[in-house]
Amino acid sequence: MAEQLKSIEEFMKSRGFKLTRPRRRVVEKLLAVKGHVTADDLIDLLRKGGTPVSRATVYRTLGIVSQSGLIDGHDFQGGKKVYEPMVGRAHHDHLFCISCGKVIEFSEEAIERLQDLVVARYRFTPVYHSHKIFGYCETCTPKPALKARRS
Amino acid sequence: MAEQLKSIEEFMKSRGFKLTRPRRRVVEKLLAVKGHVTADDLIDLLRKGGTPVSRATVYRTLGIVSQSGLIDGHDFQGGKKVYEPMVGRAHHDHLFCISCGKVIEFSEEAIERLQDLVVARYRFTPVYHSHKIFGYCETCTPKPALKARRS
DNA sequence: TTAAGACTGATACGCAGTCTCAATTTGATA
DNA sequence: TATCAAATTGAGACTGCGTATCAGTCTTAA
C-alpha cells in the first residue's frame, strides 16, 4: 500500500507534479477502496472521512494519475467514469452486466497477444486499450423457463 | 440501401415502434453517411438538407435503433458518441488514434472466439461488446529520430 | 523574507444527452 | 372517409459529469 503510494509519487515527480496533501488524500482513498469508484464517490468518502478535497482537485488528480497507468478509468454506463487502482496488478478487462451493474474482471493472455498482431498489421502504436463485454451475468441471465426480460 | 432501411423498419415494427417520417429521415441520413457521425452531425445534416428533425427525436431514434444492433454507437473521445450503420456489415472493432482522431476498423475472428470462451467461463450471456485500442496511427507515431511527442 | 510558480477550492461554465408536455400525427376502426 | 386513442414530435427546460476560471494559499529556493 505504501509501496503503491510511492510508485504514484515517483510518477508524479517524474512529470513535474507534486504529491501535495490534497492529492495524497485522493490517492490514498482510491487505493484504500477495493474495486471501482467514481470521482463523486471519492469526494463523498473524503468529506465523510473528515478530509474534504474539492471537486476540481479530485478530478485533476485522477486525470494526472490516470496518465501513469497506475490507475485505470473505465466508462461502463456512459457518462460516469469509474476508477480503479492498477498498481501492482495485472492488466485485465471487464464483463459488465447491463441488468444489475455487476463488473467481472477477466484476463486472457491469448487475446492480448492477438491484439499485438492486429496493431502490427496496421503499424499502429498502442498506448492502452479497452475491452468490455456487455450482457447478463449468471444471476441476471433470463432462464429458458422464464419469460424473456423486457428491455 | 432500401434493403437496409427495410431491416430497420422490420426491427422497429417487431418492437412496437413506428417508422415515422422524422425517424425515417434520421435513419436514411445515417445510412447515407459513410463512416462515423455524431447525433449533432445528423441534426445539422438534416437541417441543412431541408428536412430538420428535433434533437429529442434524433436522440430517441438513435437510441431505439441502437438496440437492434443494426447501428452501432461508439464512445471514442469520451463525451461524444459516434454512430455507424452496421446493416449488412460484419462486426468489427476499432483502433483510435489519440493524436489525429483517425479510426481504423479491424476484425479478428480469433479474438471473437476467445471472447466466447471467456463469457462461457463466467456463465455470462453477452449482448454486445466494445474493443478499442487507443494509440498512435502510422503517421502520428513518433519516429525514433524525432523528439517524443509531449502528451 | 521574499518572490515566482505551483496548487487549491468555490463556483461558473460547457456540453451531451434526457425529460416535459402541449400539439400533432398515426393508424385502427367504424 | 371520419373519429379517436395512442404514439410521436418538437421546443426548450433541465440534469449531471466534467472543465475552466481566478483569487487566494502553499512551496521552494535563494
Side-chain angles (χ1 to χ4, degrees):
Chain A
M1 173 82 78
E3 200 54 47
Q4 300 177 331
L5 222 171
K6 203 141 216 164
S7 302
I8 289 174
E9 183 168 18
E10 275 166 21
F11 163 78
M12 296 190 73
K13 238 179 214 155
S14 77
R15 290 290 196 104
F17 293 114
K18 293 167 189 166
L19 185 54
T20 59
R21 197 181 317 166
R23 285 178 181 166
R24 166 175 272 118
R25 283 173 178 164
V26 173
V27 172
E28 280 177 342
K29 192 58 80 180
L30 176 62
L31 292 175
V33 175
K34 33 188 154 265
H36 301 91
V37 238
T38 66
D40 267 324
D41 291 339
L42 283 175
I43 293 165
D44 276 1
L45 287 169
L46 288 163
R47 188 173 40 225
K48 285 174 186 163
T51 56
V53 176
S54 75
R55 278 161 61 71
T57 299
V58 170
Y59 276 106
R60 279 188 292 235
T61 305
L62 291 173
I64 292 170
V65 185
S66 282
Q67 296 171 19
S68 69
L70 297 168
I71 74 174
D72 257 15
H74 312 292
D75 190 358
F76 289 127
Q77 336 237 14
K80 198 157 203 176
K81 232 172 176 175
V82 297
Y83 294 88
E84 66 175 327
M86 292 296 288
V87 200
R89 300 199 56 200
H91 167 77
H92 57 261
D93 292 299
H94 298 91
L95 306 177
F96 181 83
C97 178
I98 55 184
S99 171
C100 71
K102 183 177 179 181
V103 176
I104 301 171
E105 301 179 352
F106 73 90
S107 59
E108 186 59 50
E109 250 315 300
I111 290 180
E112 306 292 324
R113 275 197 296 271
L114 284 165
Q115 278 181 177
D116 295 341
L117 292 183
V118 168
V119 299
R121 187 186 306 153
Y122 295 99
R123 302 180 197 293
F124 192 87
T125 307
V127 175
Y128 58 95
H129 72 266
S130 151
H131 191 174
K132 291 170 288 199
I133 304 179
F134 297 84
Y136 297 101
C137 70
E138 183 171 9
T139 55
C140 292
T141 293
K143 300 298 182 300
L146 300 172
K147 276 261 169 55
R149 174 184 306 271
R150 185 173 299 273
S151 80
Chain B
M1 172 83 78
E3 199 55 45
Q4 300 178 329
L5 221 172
K6 202 140 216 165
S7 302
I8 289 175
E9 183 168 18
E10 273 167 21
F11 163 78
M12 297 191 72
K13 239 179 213 155
S14 76
R15 292 289 196 104
F17 294 115
K18 294 167 188 168
L19 185 55
T20 60
R21 198 180 316 165
R23 285 179 181 165
R24 164 175 274 118
R25 283 172 178 164
V26 172
V27 172
E28 281 177 341
K29 191 59 79 181
L30 177 62
L31 292 175
V33 174
K34 35 188 151 265
H36 301 91
V37 237
T38 65
D40 267 324
D41 291 340
L42 283 175
I43 292 165
D44 277 0
L45 286 169
L46 288 163
R47 188 173 40 228
K48 284 175 187 162
T51 56
V53 176
S54 77
R55 277 160 61 71
T57 298
V58 169
Y59 276 105
R60 279 188 292 235
T61 305
L62 291 173
I64 291 170
V65 185
S66 281
Q67 295 171 21
S68 69
L70 297 168
I71 73 174
D72 257 15
H74 312 292
D75 191 356
F76 289 126
Q77 334 237 16
K80 200 157 203 176
K81 232 172 176 177
V82 298
Y83 294 88
E84 67 176 327
M86 292 296 289
V87 201
R89 299 198 58 199
H91 167 78
H92 58 261
D93 292 298
H94 298 90
L95 307 177
F96 182 84
C97 178
I98 55 184
S99 170
C100 69
K102 182 176 178 182
V103 176
I104 301 171
E105 301 178 353
F106 73 91
S107 59
E108 187 60 50
E109 249 316 299
I111 291 181
E112 306 292 323
R113 275 198 295 271
L114 284 166
Q115 279 182 176
D116 296 340
L117 292 183
V118 169
V119 298
R121 186 187 306 153
Y122 295 98
R123 303 181 196 292
F124 192 87
T125 307
V127 175
Y128 58 95
H129 72 266
S130 150
H131 190 174
K132 291 171 289 200
I133 304 177
F134 297 84
Y136 297 102
C137 70
E138 184 171 7
T139 56
C140 292
T141 292
K143 300 297 183 298
L146 302 171
K147 274 259 169 60
R149 175 184 306 270
R150 185 173 300 273
S151 80

